[in-house]
Amino acid sequence: MQDGVDDNEKRQHRHQDQDDEGYLVLWQAPQQDAHAVQTLRSVLTCQNDLFEQSPSKRSCLVRRAKANTHLQPPGRRSLHIQKHTCSSCGYPAAKIRQYNWGEKAKRRKTTGTGRMRTMKGISRKFKNSFQIGTPKGARGPAQA
């Protein structure tokens, strides 16, 4: 245990002896994705030069904003943030959004295209006349 503390202290002293302060920052910083760094650099450049640029370049901040976000039932990025309505399913409306002019869209979303958790057992129950309870011989022989 004592040796571990000494090793840590030696490491700290070794890095404190470096006269370049940036060396410590780079040594302790985690590795970053090159794409993320490039994106961050472009955003910072855009914000710094906002008032020095032409009006067409000022719009880069507006274009970066997202109007829609993800919604779980349709599984798409179609929930409008300000309106708080989904352009795919119509949430928060009580009924699912569908139009007769969108026949293909109706085919994609109709009954039978998903899991059908409840409906897939209906045909089996229908054959047995929707009986409830346990069958006659399932509990074993009748006890007197």
Side-chain angles (χ1 to χ4, degrees):
M1 192 71 181
Q2 187 71 2
D3 293 334
V5 174
D6 291 336
D7 289 339
N8 288 335
E9 289 176 2
K10 287 178 185 176
R11 274 193 214 125
Q12 288 176 356
H13 287 297
R14 187 174 359 153
H15 289 295
Q16 287 174 356
D17 291 340
Q18 297 286 342
D19 54 335
D20 186 17
E21 294 176 8
Y23 178 78
L24 280 175
V25 175
L26 288 174
W27 183 74
Q28 294 172 351
Q31 294 295 321
Q32 294 178 345
D33 184 20
H35 179 71
V37 171
Q38 182 64 30
T39 307
L40 181 63
R41 185 177 296 137
S42 64
V43 168
L44 292 175
T45 304
C46 181
Q47 288 176 350
N48 291 339
D49 300 338
L50 181 62
F51 297 106
E52 299 171 6
Q53 300 293 333
S54 63
S56 62
K57 291 197 176 183
R58 280 185 215 151
S59 64
C60 68
L61 290 176
V62 177
R63 284 196 310 261
R64 203 179 71 227
K66 286 192 258 184
N68 292 14
T69 187
H70 288 272
L71 183 65
Q72 208 259 325
R76 320 179 70 166
R77 194 178 96 174
S78 55
L79 178 70
H80 198 278
I81 296 172
Q82 288 182 337
K83 295 182 195 175
H84 195 70
T85 49
C86 180
S87 59
S88 176
C89 67
Y91 176 86
K95 296 191 176 185
I96 296 290
R97 171 189 175 272
Q98 76 172 23
Y99 294 101
N100 287 334
W101 48 260
E103 289 185 32
K104 284 186 179 179
K106 285 166 69 172
R107 260 186 263 147
R108 287 185 214 112
K109 299 177 186 180
T110 192
T111 308
T113 57
R115 279 177 60 183
M116 294 201 347
R117 289 175 276 227
T118 307
M119 297 274 295
K120 64 185 171 188
I122 296 290
S123 60
R124 176 178 45 81
K125 292 177 182 178
F126 175 75
K127 284 190 292 188
N128 296 320
S129 303
F130 295 97
Q131 295 175 356
I132 57 172
T134 56
K136 285 185 180 177
R139 294 187 182 184
Q143 296 179 2

